[in-house]
Amino acid sequence: MTNKKVFNWLDERLGLTAIYKTIFERKIPKVNWWFTLGSATLFLFALQVVTGIMLSVYYVPSPDKAYDSIEFIMSGVAFGWLIRGIHHWGATLMVITVFIHMLRVFFYGAYKYPREITWVTGVFLLLATLGMGFTGYLLPWNQKAYWATTVGTSIAGTVPGIGDFILRALRGGDDLSGVTLARFFAAHIWIFPLLIIILIGVHLYLVIRIGISAVPGKND
Amino acid sequence: MTEDQKQAYKEKYLRAKHNGEHFFPDTIYKDLIVAFAIFLLLVGLALFVGVASEPRADPSDTSYVPRPEWYFLFLFEMLKFFPGNLEWLGTTIIPAAAVLALLLLPFFDRNPARHWKKRKFALGFMGIVVLGMVALTVRAAVTTPVQQESTVATTVAEKIAAGQDLYSVQCVECHGAEGEGGVVSGVEGLEGVTIKAIHTQDEMYTRNDDTLFNIVDYGQPNLGMPPFGKGYGGELSRSDIEYIVTFMRYSWDDRAELPKEAAQASAIPALGPDEIPSYDTHIAPLVKRYCVSCHRSGKENNNYLMTSYDQVMNSGDHEPNIVPGDLNSNLIRMLHREDIEAGGPMPPTKALKPEYIQLFERWIKAGAPQTTTK
């Protein structure tokens, strides 16, 4: 009885029932398993956030300490290897699910009226995910990371006209250094995640407002 | 789409929704199953595949073959098709056009149909693009030159073992197997120079790891020590130098406690009274630690190389240096610090411990076998 009273009091002010009805009780067309890829990506992103926060407790973004701090995570921290393993493989898997999710949407023509904006936010989410991959790759500060980023940033440097500016902006100087590591770290844990969270918000709002597309029939 | 088409679509969609399922629990149930499967997959990957360890970043190591993360490989591979002066086409125009095309897709694809049979051009085009990306990725993976294997030590014991191996090759000819130093002989440019011991408490207490690292890396030009870091003309990568410093610290600093497994790994295998010594188990570790530093190619050693069993038995200007069963073999006489035609006392600076010389003697007496078969 009191539980119900408390709930009613809260519901009156927060609109909990309305939220529940909008999100959970909504009806959607009969769809197949390919339609789980979006939520799978969302799950992977949440997992990346959680494991990423855990890793940031021990990770030190400096050229002197980054490599050692990851070595410590792998061998000195309880279940550090598991957290890093999940983060590492989760990144790979997230790129795959994002990509297949996009192909699914394309195949069913789900980007057409009235879901054009959902598609556009999705493309930005794809780009932000690739940005996460690119910036995260440098953080272990090992040979693979260092040289991949050297090549990656120098490719950006070949853009006609503003290439040199982009190159210096990415690296924070002419060469890869601690400055590069610091700004990649900032991009990886602040800028891109924030962008992704905002974009996911819009994406999901649109999915719930418009409803997910149905599997097209022969006459569609 | 015309207004009529929009209206028709909306009505049809409403019907599909009406005949559909509830998000909770029907849809969310499928989503949760997939999420759980993904979680299991990730834990499995972390458990059974793990994350490959890589050597520390080394800006001076230009031999490293750079490769982007696998999902950028297709872009990387595509660039190979553009000659130098057209590179900007591949790096700027094509990616920018692709991103723009993706973004604007709903606005230039005016075909109102959704079923694949009525969208053959769009699907065919996308199919070709995706196939092209997959093909480029495969091509990149196949044509990638194999990365030169470098040992990556992760535990302290592994680092010490790797450091000892590197020290044996790079440092022993001047600093001695135990860092005892002495008068250098047989090293070009440093003949007869006396080198102080580097394994003393004094040295260990007054030089921290960074200092040791820098000395190995840059060398000490005024004292005759050449730089060993790859960036300055030497053979050692950042990780290599780190291992050597770890080895020195744990072996010579009395404040550092050698981990048990490291002590076991670096110990010369003991030999029972009736046991027959073999090259692989007993002699190779000794040779590696005390001889190889000079007796490898590119050093002054009368062409006597000691990096494999065959070389130990049959190489050098005065071969054979080892005659199975003969304790008057050159090697034994020189270990006993005799000066003979084949050369002077070995190792030049300091005699081997008597038990090690004995090990060589018992091995030669037993016929100098490579392995013992029981």
Side-chain angles (χ1 to χ4, degrees), chain B residues 68-319:
Chain B
E69 181 68 304
W70 67 268
Y71 41 81
F72 291 120
L73 270 179
F74 73 96
L75 268 178
F76 192 71
E77 189 67 20
M78 187 186 71
L79 295 184
K80 292 187 188 161
F81 292 95
F82 294 93
N85 54 349
L86 287 178
E87 204 185 20
W88 55 277
L89 263 179
T91 57
T92 315
I93 304 300
I94 292 181
V99 169
L100 215 62
L102 265 188
L103 272 175
L104 301 179
L105 173 68
F107 307 105
F108 65 74
D109 177 10
R110 313 295 296 179
N111 181 358
R114 289 159 205 254
H115 194 261
W116 62 270
K117 273 193 174 161
K118 297 176 187 165
R119 296 172 57 228
K120 282 183 183 150
F121 175 74
L123 290 176
F125 189 81
M126 186 60 125
I128 289 169
V129 170
V130 172
L131 277 181
M133 284 167 71
V134 173
L136 282 172
T137 307
V138 171
R139 189 171 183 271
V142 173
T143 55
T144 302
V146 179
Q147 196 72 248
Q148 208 186 356
E149 275 296 316
S150 53
T151 47
V152 182
T154 46
T155 66
V156 175
E158 281 171 15
K159 281 183 189 173
I160 295 171
Q164 174 145 43
D165 287 352
L166 290 161
Y167 180 89
S168 302
V169 173
Q170 303 281 346
C171 320
V172 167
E173 57 180 343
C174 293
H175 290 289
E178 323 284 346
E180 70 275 8
V183 180
V184 177
S185 94
V187 180
E188 210 185 323
L190 286 169
E191 198 63 50
V193 175
T194 307
I195 292 185
K196 65 173 176 180
I198 55 169
H199 66 334
T200 57
Q201 197 185 56
D202 191 32
E203 291 284 327
M204 282 294 118
Y205 278 37
T206 54
R207 282 155 168 55
N208 63 17
D209 288 354
D210 287 341
T211 312
L212 291 176
F213 187 99
N214 287 334
I215 292 176
V216 179
D217 194 14
Y218 305 135
Q220 295 197 308
N222 291 342
L223 300 175
M225 176 168 169
F228 282 82
K230 257 185 190 156
Y232 310 98
E235 295 177 28
L236 300 176
S237 72
R238 312 266 96 187
S239 289
D240 291 340
I241 301 179
E242 185 204 338
Y243 302 155
I244 291 182
V245 170
T246 312
F247 159 72
M248 291 166 72
R249 183 64 67 199
Y250 277 94
S251 307
W252 302 333
D253 193 327
D254 52 23
R255 296 167 301 181
E257 200 176 320
L258 195 65
K260 242 191 215 148
E261 65 252 68
Q264 275 162 9
S266 70
I268 302 291
L271 189 66
D274 304 319
E275 211 180 324
I276 297 170
S278 73
Y279 176 81
D280 286 345
T281 18
H282 303 94
I283 301 301
L286 283 173
V287 169
K288 198 157 108 188
R289 194 174 308 173
Y290 296 101
C291 317
V292 162
S293 182
C294 299
H295 289 281
R296 61 190 173 114
S297 56
K299 298 285 169 179
E300 197 180 302
N301 47 31
N302 287 342
N303 297 316
Y304 185 37
L305 308 180
M306 300 183 78
T307 50
S308 70
Y309 178 73
D310 286 335
Q311 286 179 343
V312 168
M313 301 305 289
N314 311 303
S315 74
D317 299 340
H318 301 273
E319 72 163 313

Side-chain angles (χ1 to χ4, degrees), chain B residues 44-65:
Chain B
L45 283 169
L47 247 176
F48 298 112
V49 184
V51 186
S53 31
E54 279 282 320
R56 189 183 291 274
D58 190 348
S60 60
D61 182 6
T62 46
S63 70
Y64 196 87
V65 185

Side-chain angles (χ1 to χ4, degrees), chain A residues 20 23-33 35-36 39-40 43-44 47 64 67-68 71 74-75 81-82 84-86 88-93 95-97 99 102-103 106-116 119-120 123-124 126-127 130 133-134 137 141-144 146-148 151 155 158-160 210-214 216-220, chain B residues 1 6 9-10 12-13 16-24 27-28 30-31 33-36 38-39 41-43 45-47 49-51 54-62 64 66-72 76 79 87-88 91-92 99 102-103 105-107 109 111-119 122-123 126 130 133 152-154 159 239 242-243:
Chain A
Y20 177 83
I23 295 179
F24 290 97
E25 275 185 13
R26 73 195 150 103
K27 290 206 77 176
I28 57 174
K30 268 213 157 50
V31 289
N32 56 39
W33 286 87
F35 285 71
T36 58
S39 78
F43 171 71
L44 278 165
L47 211 56
D64 292 339
Y67 186 85
D68 296 317
E71 214 168 55
M74 293 301 280
S75 57
W81 59 270
L82 180 65
R84 175 157 184 244
I86 291 177
H88 174 92
W89 288 107
T92 283
L93 210 57
V95 172
I96 296 177
T97 55
F99 191 69
M102 190 194 79
L103 287 182
F106 183 82
F107 183 76
Y108 287 141
Y111 55 88
K112 301 187 175 192
Y113 171 85
R115 301 187 182 82
E116 296 93 331
W119 169 268
V120 171
V123 174
F124 281 119
L126 170 72
L127 295 177
L130 293 179
F134 185 63
Y137 205 54
W141 204 250
N142 55 31
Q143 281 285 69
K144 214 168 156 186
Y146 184 91
W147 291 106
V151 172
I155 286 175
T158 62
V159 178
I210 305 171
I212 59 169
S213 66
K218 270 193 184 140
N219 302 319
D220 287 320
Chain B
M1 271 178 125
K6 282 183 184 174
Y9 174 78
K10 270 188 181 163
K12 200 162 186 192
Y13 181 70
K17 221 162 136 169
H18 187 73
N19 298 328
E21 56 190 27
H22 285 279
F23 178 70
F24 179 83
T27 315
I28 211 164
K30 282 199 264 182
D31 290 339
I33 287 180
V34 171
F36 187 62
I38 283 176
F39 183 72
L41 176 67
L42 287 179
V43 172
L45 283 169
L47 247 176
V49 184
V51 186
E54 279 282 320
R56 189 183 291 274
D58 190 348
S60 60
D61 182 6
T62 46
Y64 196 87
R67 276 291 169 276
E69 181 68 304
W70 67 268
Y71 41 81
F72 291 120
F76 192 71
L79 295 184
E87 204 185 20
W88 55 277
T91 57
T92 315
V99 169
L102 265 188
L103 272 175
L105 173 68
F107 307 105
D109 177 10
N111 181 358
R114 289 159 205 254
H115 194 261
W116 62 270
K117 273 193 174 161
K118 297 176 187 165
R119 296 172 57 228
L123 290 176
M126 186 60 125
V130 172
M133 284 167 71
V152 182
T154 46
K159 281 183 189 173
S239 289
E242 185 204 338
Y243 302 155

